[in-house]
Amino acid sequence: MSHVKAFIGLGNPGSEYDATRHNAGAWAVEALARDSLTPLRNERKFLGQYAKIHYAGHDLHLLVPSTYMNRSGKAVAALCQFFKLSPDELLVAHDELDIAPGTARYKHGGGHGGHNGLRDIASALGNDKSFHRLRVGIGHPGSAKQVTHYVLGRPGKAERSAIDAAIEECLRTLPDVAAGDWASAMNRLHSFEK
């Protein structure tokens, strides 16, 4: 598998969505930008908040699309076209209903699992689903009818603390990801539970 050259965090724009579960992917990229002391800045050509960092010996593009979740593909495609990135050089962080808060998982390729952001990215990349994913667990409300309200709701204090802990553990595995050592990164992250 190739080296990751871009870390993209999905969410919805605007202060009313900042603290909602659907923005868990964006929280991961924002946390790396903070840790790297490199602020994300509005970049119109990429339709989002962007920064470039030198990380673990590699250049890494950070992007949080400013489009709504179901239009994330436009921003990702713009970044890929400008920097000539292939889908398997992308790590897309997103909220994951099927994983409990306090856990996260890496995944390479696969379907969108009903996630509108992933669906739009795959479509914008010519249905190439070979991009890597960082699935940040937010848990499931228990009923499909409650999903929309749940993902657009704010987690409680303990739940947010668990999600943040999983994101911090993700960041500890990113040097391995940047080096292309997915086995080490997965082994560490997948054994973590808050």
Side-chain angles (χ1 to χ4, degrees):
M1 287 191 268
S2 64
H3 295 274
V4 164
K5 295 182 179 174
F7 187 28
I8 298 153
L10 303 187
N12 281 312
S15 57
E16 70 268 36
Y17 295 110
D18 278 346
T20 64
R21 293 179 183 93
H22 220 16
N23 279 37
W27 299 343
V29 172
E30 290 162 359
L32 180 57
R34 268 194 314 276
D35 283 6
S36 303
L37 305 177
T38 307
L40 292 162
R41 298 195 195 295
N42 196 37
E43 182 53 74
R44 277 199 308 208
K45 69 178 168 243
F46 304 139
L47 306 167
Q49 300 287 310
Y50 170 81
K52 181 180 176 184
I53 62 173
H54 193 69
Y55 185 78
H58 303 274
D59 286 335
L60 187 63
H61 303 285
L62 305 181
L63 179 67
V64 175
S66 297
T67 57
Y68 281 93
M69 178 70 82
N70 60 355
R71 293 284 173 259
S72 301
K74 284 180 163 182
V76 174
L79 185 79
C80 289
Q81 287 163 3
F82 189 84
F83 291 113
K84 311 271 190 286
L85 302 173
S86 63
D88 70 343
E89 294 174 322
L90 308 177
L91 175 59
V92 178
H94 64 90
D95 59 306
E96 178 58 65
L97 288 161
D98 295 330
I99 302 174
T103 56
R105 299 285 183 266
Y106 286 117
K107 182 180 178 185
H108 180 237
H112 55 70
H115 195 287
N116 290 330
L118 296 179
R119 178 187 283 124
D120 196 60
I121 290 169
S123 176
L125 298 176
N127 286 320
D128 188 330
K129 302 178 183 93
S130 66
F131 54 93
H132 302 273
R133 298 102 191 271
L134 170 59
R135 304 161 70 212
V136 180
I138 61 166
H140 197 286
S143 163
K145 290 178 185 164
Q146 295 173 315
V147 164
T148 300
H149 179 73
Y150 180 78
V151 299
L152 294 177
R154 296 170 180 234
K157 195 172 179 183
E159 186 186 339
R160 176 65 194 256
S161 175
I163 293 168
D164 287 343
I167 288 171
E168 286 302 314
E169 187 67 10
C170 294
L171 298 189
R172 291 184 198 105
T173 68
L174 280 180
D176 286 334
V177 168
D181 188 353
W182 285 97
S184 291
M186 287 181 171
N187 188 42
R188 177 167 181 169
L189 182 61
H190 295 189
S191 62
F192 177 82
E193 196 170 320
K194 172 72 171 124

